[in-house]
Amino acid sequence: AQSVTQLDSQVPVFEEAPVELRCNYSSSVSVYLFWYVQYPNQGLQLLLKYLSGSTLVKGINGFEAEFNKSQTSFHLRKPSVHISDTAEYFCAVSKIQGAQKLVFGQGTRLTINP
Amino acid sequence: EPEVTQTPSHQVTQMGQEVILRCVPISNHLYFYWYRQILGQKVEFLVSFYNNEISEKSEIFDDQFSVERPDGSNFTLKIRSTKLEDSAMYFCASSLGGPPEKLFFGSGTQLSVL
């Protein structure tokens, strides 16, 4: 079975500061890795995904994530955040073979303060 | 960008009653999903649906749950006899292809069972 742990339930940062949202996963088989974002009163949207190849993945809105296989991590980063980045961020995995479901972490609420 | 639409946004029901949650996926998508999030917990997979049949379901998705795509545009989740523990935000999602295709999520239906 797969599991995902997001180490921080809430992260407050000031506008224009850098941010890192942490994600670790556990799986006995190879997985795809995803970050989804949920803005207030909206559905989840895909930020980025790692399938294979380069371990640094760039997504929408200036976000990027780095896959680290030895540490089973997939941390999300942005060098300079904006007020509009205030949202809930979800890390997720899915098995490469067979399964269709996403397994989510518990989410990290990112709050940007002016 | 096209959207997944869910109705209603909030539903209140009495324990033991049947509820139907409705979703209109993106029109050319082929894969359909239901997820739910109990307050304070992780987003959990319920079921995936492809080619007019369930392709995967979780342990949560017992005989009380069913899904249907009655008319080629709607995708519904029925709970036959609701329990207090069914109270959650229910998210519908669709994708053009199977994993690891991007999932498009609706904004959810908040179900409250009293």
Side-chain angles (χ1 to χ4, degrees), chain B residues 4-22:
Chain B
V4 174
T5 306
Q6 288 187 246
T7 56
S9 55
H10 293 85
Q11 179 143 5
V12 180
T13 190
Q14 295 291 323
M15 191 169 56
Q17 295 296 304
E18 174 183 287
V19 295
I20 297 176
L21 307 184
R22 302 182 192 278

PDB file of all heavy atoms in Angstrom, chain B residues 4-22:
ATOM      1  N   VAL B   4     -15.488  20.675 -14.185  1.00  0.00           N
ATOM      2  CA  VAL B   4     -16.362  19.633 -13.668  1.00  0.00           C
ATOM      3  C   VAL B   4     -17.357  20.320 -12.730  1.00  0.00           C
ATOM      4  O   VAL B   4     -16.946  21.080 -11.851  1.00  0.00           O
ATOM      5  CB  VAL B   4     -15.557  18.566 -12.916  1.00  0.00           C
ATOM      6  CG1 VAL B   4     -16.482  17.557 -12.251  1.00  0.00           C
ATOM      7  CG2 VAL B   4     -14.570  17.866 -13.861  1.00  0.00           C
ATOM      8  N   THR B   5     -18.622  20.049 -12.933  1.00  0.00           N
ATOM      9  CA  THR B   5     -19.666  20.713 -12.158  1.00  0.00           C
ATOM     10  C   THR B   5     -20.325  19.723 -11.210  1.00  0.00           C
ATOM     11  O   THR B   5     -20.716  18.629 -11.627  1.00  0.00           O
ATOM     12  CB  THR B   5     -20.739  21.294 -13.093  1.00  0.00           C
ATOM     13  OG1 THR B   5     -20.107  22.140 -14.046  1.00  0.00           O
ATOM     14  CG2 THR B   5     -21.753  22.114 -12.312  1.00  0.00           C
ATOM     15  N   GLN B   6     -20.459  20.121  -9.942  1.00  0.00           N
ATOM     16  CA  GLN B   6     -21.124  19.268  -8.958  1.00  0.00           C
ATOM     17  C   GLN B   6     -22.326  19.989  -8.359  1.00  0.00           C
ATOM     18  O   GLN B   6     -22.249  21.174  -8.045  1.00  0.00           O
ATOM     19  CB  GLN B   6     -20.174  18.897  -7.826  1.00  0.00           C
ATOM     20  CG  GLN B   6     -19.104  17.908  -8.240  1.00  0.00           C
ATOM     21  CD  GLN B   6     -18.283  17.434  -7.073  1.00  0.00           C
ATOM     22  OE1 GLN B   6     -17.079  17.717  -6.988  1.00  0.00           O
ATOM     23  NE2 GLN B   6     -18.924  16.711  -6.154  1.00  0.00           N
ATOM     24  N   THR B   7     -23.405  19.227  -8.209  1.00  0.00           N
ATOM     25  CA  THR B   7     -24.596  19.763  -7.555  1.00  0.00           C
ATOM     26  C   THR B   7     -25.180  18.746  -6.589  1.00  0.00           C
ATOM     27  O   THR B   7     -25.108  17.539  -6.847  1.00  0.00           O
ATOM     28  CB  THR B   7     -25.675  20.146  -8.590  1.00  0.00           C
ATOM     29  OG1 THR B   7     -25.961  18.995  -9.402  1.00  0.00           O
ATOM     30  CG2 THR B   7     -25.229  21.309  -9.441  1.00  0.00           C
ATOM     31  N   PRO B   8     -25.772  19.185  -5.462  1.00  0.00           N
ATOM     32  CA  PRO B   8     -25.719  20.556  -4.956  1.00  0.00           C
ATOM     33  C   PRO B   8     -24.374  20.832  -4.303  1.00  0.00           C
ATOM     34  O   PRO B   8     -23.578  19.917  -4.118  1.00  0.00           O
ATOM     35  CB  PRO B   8     -26.850  20.542  -3.926  1.00  0.00           C
ATOM     36  CG  PRO B   8     -26.838  19.143  -3.389  1.00  0.00           C
ATOM     37  CD  PRO B   8     -26.474  18.269  -4.553  1.00  0.00           C
ATOM     38  N   SER B   9     -24.139  22.057  -3.902  1.00  0.00           N
ATOM     39  CA  SER B   9     -22.883  22.356  -3.204  1.00  0.00           C
ATOM     40  C   SER B   9     -22.963  21.917  -1.742  1.00  0.00           C
ATOM     41  O   SER B   9     -21.950  21.570  -1.137  1.00  0.00           O
ATOM     42  CB  SER B   9     -22.551  23.840  -3.303  1.00  0.00           C
ATOM     43  OG  SER B   9     -23.624  24.612  -2.825  1.00  0.00           O
ATOM     44  N   HIS B  10     -24.175  21.976  -1.177  1.00  0.00           N
ATOM     45  CA  HIS B  10     -24.399  21.492   0.184  1.00  0.00           C
ATOM     46  C   HIS B  10     -25.653  20.633   0.193  1.00  0.00           C
ATOM     47  O   HIS B  10     -26.649  20.964  -0.473  1.00  0.00           O
ATOM     48  CB  HIS B  10     -24.609  22.663   1.161  1.00  0.00           C
ATOM     49  CG  HIS B  10     -23.406  23.510   1.355  1.00  0.00           C
ATOM     50  ND1 HIS B  10     -23.086  24.549   0.513  1.00  0.00           N
ATOM     51  CD2 HIS B  10     -22.423  23.467   2.281  1.00  0.00           C
ATOM     52  CE1 HIS B  10     -21.973  25.113   0.915  1.00  0.00           C
ATOM     53  NE2 HIS B  10     -21.539  24.490   1.990  1.00  0.00           N
ATOM     54  N   GLN B  11     -25.610  19.535   0.944  1.00  0.00           N
ATOM     55  CA  GLN B  11     -26.793  18.707   1.104  1.00  0.00           C
ATOM     56  C   GLN B  11     -26.862  18.223   2.545  1.00  0.00           C
ATOM     57  O   GLN B  11     -25.880  17.712   3.083  1.00  0.00           O
ATOM     58  CB  GLN B  11     -26.772  17.509   0.159  1.00  0.00           C
ATOM     59  CG  GLN B  11     -27.968  16.605   0.302  1.00  0.00           C
ATOM     60  CD  GLN B  11     -28.435  16.039  -1.027  1.00  0.00           C
ATOM     61  OE1 GLN B  11     -27.816  16.241  -2.055  1.00  0.00           O
ATOM     62  NE2 GLN B  11     -29.525  15.315  -0.989  1.00  0.00           N
ATOM     63  N   VAL B  12     -28.053  18.410   3.124  1.00  0.00           N
ATOM     64  CA  VAL B  12     -28.301  17.949   4.485  1.00  0.00           C
ATOM     65  C   VAL B  12     -29.345  16.845   4.420  1.00  0.00           C
ATOM     66  O   VAL B  12     -30.356  16.983   3.718  1.00  0.00           O
ATOM     67  CB  VAL B  12     -28.799  19.089   5.389  1.00  0.00           C
ATOM     68  CG1 VAL B  12     -29.039  18.570   6.804  1.00  0.00           C
ATOM     69  CG2 VAL B  12     -27.802  20.238   5.401  1.00  0.00           C
ATOM     70  N   THR B  13     -29.110  15.748   5.099  1.00  0.00           N
ATOM     71  CA  THR B  13     -30.038  14.636   5.070  1.00  0.00           C
ATOM     72  C   THR B  13     -30.129  13.995   6.446  1.00  0.00           C
ATOM     73  O   THR B  13     -29.245  14.189   7.291  1.00  0.00           O
ATOM     74  CB  THR B  13     -29.622  13.598   4.010  1.00  0.00           C
ATOM     75  OG1 THR B  13     -30.674  12.637   3.845  1.00  0.00           O
ATOM     76  CG2 THR B  13     -28.353  12.864   4.435  1.00  0.00           C
ATOM     77  N   GLN B  14     -31.175  13.219   6.638  1.00  0.00           N
ATOM     78  CA  GLN B  14     -31.343  12.489   7.886  1.00  0.00           C
ATOM     79  C   GLN B  14     -30.698  11.110   7.745  1.00  0.00           C
ATOM     80  O   GLN B  14     -30.719  10.501   6.667  1.00  0.00           O
ATOM     81  CB  GLN B  14     -32.831  12.322   8.205  1.00  0.00           C
ATOM     82  CG  GLN B  14     -33.563  13.631   8.472  1.00  0.00           C
ATOM     83  CD  GLN B  14     -33.116  14.276   9.763  1.00  0.00           C
ATOM     84  OE1 GLN B  14     -32.834  13.591  10.752  1.00  0.00           O
ATOM     85  NE2 GLN B  14     -33.026  15.601   9.766  1.00  0.00           N
ATOM     86  N   MET B  15     -30.148  10.625   8.834  1.00  0.00           N
ATOM     87  CA  MET B  15     -29.566   9.296   8.864  1.00  0.00           C
ATOM     88  C   MET B  15     -30.573   8.268   8.344  1.00  0.00           C
ATOM     89  O   MET B  15     -31.765   8.330   8.688  1.00  0.00           O
ATOM     90  CB  MET B  15     -29.184   8.960  10.310  1.00  0.00           C
ATOM     91  CG  MET B  15     -28.341   7.740  10.482  1.00  0.00           C
ATOM     92  SD  MET B  15     -27.705   7.633  12.168  1.00  0.00           S
ATOM     93  CE  MET B  15     -29.182   7.687  13.137  1.00  0.00           C
ATOM     94  N   GLY B  16     -30.101   7.364   7.496  1.00  0.00           N
ATOM     95  CA  GLY B  16     -30.969   6.338   6.938  1.00  0.00           C
ATOM     96  C   GLY B  16     -31.596   6.714   5.602  1.00  0.00           C
ATOM     97  O   GLY B  16     -32.158   5.846   4.915  1.00  0.00           O
ATOM     98  N   GLN B  17     -31.524   7.974   5.235  1.00  0.00           N
ATOM     99  CA  GLN B  17     -32.088   8.420   3.961  1.00  0.00           C
ATOM    100  C   GLN B  17     -31.108   8.158   2.818  1.00  0.00           C
ATOM    101  O   GLN B  17     -29.898   8.074   3.012  1.00  0.00           O
ATOM    102  CB  GLN B  17     -32.419   9.910   4.013  1.00  0.00           C
ATOM    103  CG  GLN B  17     -33.520  10.271   4.994  1.00  0.00           C
ATOM    104  CD  GLN B  17     -34.845   9.649   4.603  1.00  0.00           C
ATOM    105  OE1 GLN B  17     -35.330   9.853   3.496  1.00  0.00           O
ATOM    106  NE2 GLN B  17     -35.429   8.877   5.514  1.00  0.00           N
ATOM    107  N   GLU B  18     -31.658   8.073   1.625  1.00  0.00           N
ATOM    108  CA  GLU B  18     -30.850   7.922   0.422  1.00  0.00           C
ATOM    109  C   GLU B  18     -30.474   9.303  -0.116  1.00  0.00           C
ATOM    110  O   GLU B  18     -31.292  10.229  -0.078  1.00  0.00           O
ATOM    111  CB  GLU B  18     -31.655   7.166  -0.634  1.00  0.00           C
ATOM    112  CG  GLU B  18     -30.972   7.072  -1.996  1.00  0.00           C
ATOM    113  CD  GLU B  18     -31.848   6.387  -3.023  1.00  0.00           C
ATOM    114  OE1 GLU B  18     -32.014   5.155  -2.938  1.00  0.00           O
ATOM    115  OE2 GLU B  18     -32.372   7.102  -3.917  1.00  0.00           O
ATOM    116  N   VAL B  19     -29.251   9.432  -0.591  1.00  0.00           N
ATOM    117  CA  VAL B  19     -28.846  10.679  -1.243  1.00  0.00           C
ATOM    118  C   VAL B  19     -28.198  10.354  -2.580  1.00  0.00           C
ATOM    119  O   VAL B  19     -27.580   9.295  -2.745  1.00  0.00           O
ATOM    120  CB  VAL B  19     -27.875  11.520  -0.393  1.00  0.00           C
ATOM    121  CG1 VAL B  19     -28.540  12.012   0.865  1.00  0.00           C
ATOM    122  CG2 VAL B  19     -26.609  10.768  -0.082  1.00  0.00           C
ATOM    123  N   ILE B  20     -28.359  11.271  -3.502  1.00  0.00           N
ATOM    124  CA  ILE B  20     -27.686  11.170  -4.798  1.00  0.00           C
ATOM    125  C   ILE B  20     -26.900  12.447  -5.021  1.00  0.00           C
ATOM    126  O   ILE B  20     -27.463  13.547  -4.984  1.00  0.00           O
ATOM    127  CB  ILE B  20     -28.698  10.965  -5.940  1.00  0.00           C
ATOM    128  CG1 ILE B  20     -29.441   9.645  -5.761  1.00  0.00           C
ATOM    129  CG2 ILE B  20     -27.970  10.973  -7.290  1.00  0.00           C
ATOM    130  CD1 ILE B  20     -30.521   9.402  -6.794  1.00  0.00           C
ATOM    131  N   LEU B  21     -25.618  12.281  -5.212  1.00  0.00           N
ATOM    132  CA  LEU B  21     -24.753  13.421  -5.508  1.00  0.00           C
ATOM    133  C   LEU B  21     -24.490  13.411  -7.011  1.00  0.00           C
ATOM    134  O   LEU B  21     -24.171  12.368  -7.590  1.00  0.00           O
ATOM    135  CB  LEU B  21     -23.436  13.305  -4.732  1.00  0.00           C
ATOM    136  CG  LEU B  21     -23.576  13.089  -3.226  1.00  0.00           C
ATOM    137  CD1 LEU B  21     -22.205  13.079  -2.565  1.00  0.00           C
ATOM    138  CD2 LEU B  21     -24.480  14.113  -2.592  1.00  0.00           C
ATOM    139  N   ARG B  22     -24.603  14.582  -7.602  1.00  0.00           N
ATOM    140  CA  ARG B  22     -24.551  14.665  -9.064  1.00  0.00           C
ATOM    141  C   ARG B  22     -23.315  15.414  -9.545  1.00  0.00           C
ATOM    142  O   ARG B  22     -22.856  16.361  -8.914  1.00  0.00           O
ATOM    143  CB  ARG B  22     -25.803  15.360  -9.583  1.00  0.00           C
ATOM    144  CG  ARG B  22     -27.068  14.652  -9.172  1.00  0.00           C
ATOM    145  CD  ARG B  22     -28.328  15.292  -9.715  1.00  0.00           C
ATOM    146  NE  ARG B  22     -29.503  14.732  -9.065  1.00  0.00           N
ATOM    147  CZ  ARG B  22     -30.070  13.584  -9.424  1.00  0.00           C
ATOM    148  NH1 ARG B  22     -29.562  12.882 -10.440  1.00  0.00           N
ATOM    149  NH2 ARG B  22     -31.135  13.132  -8.784  1.00  0.00           N
TER     150      ARG B  22
END
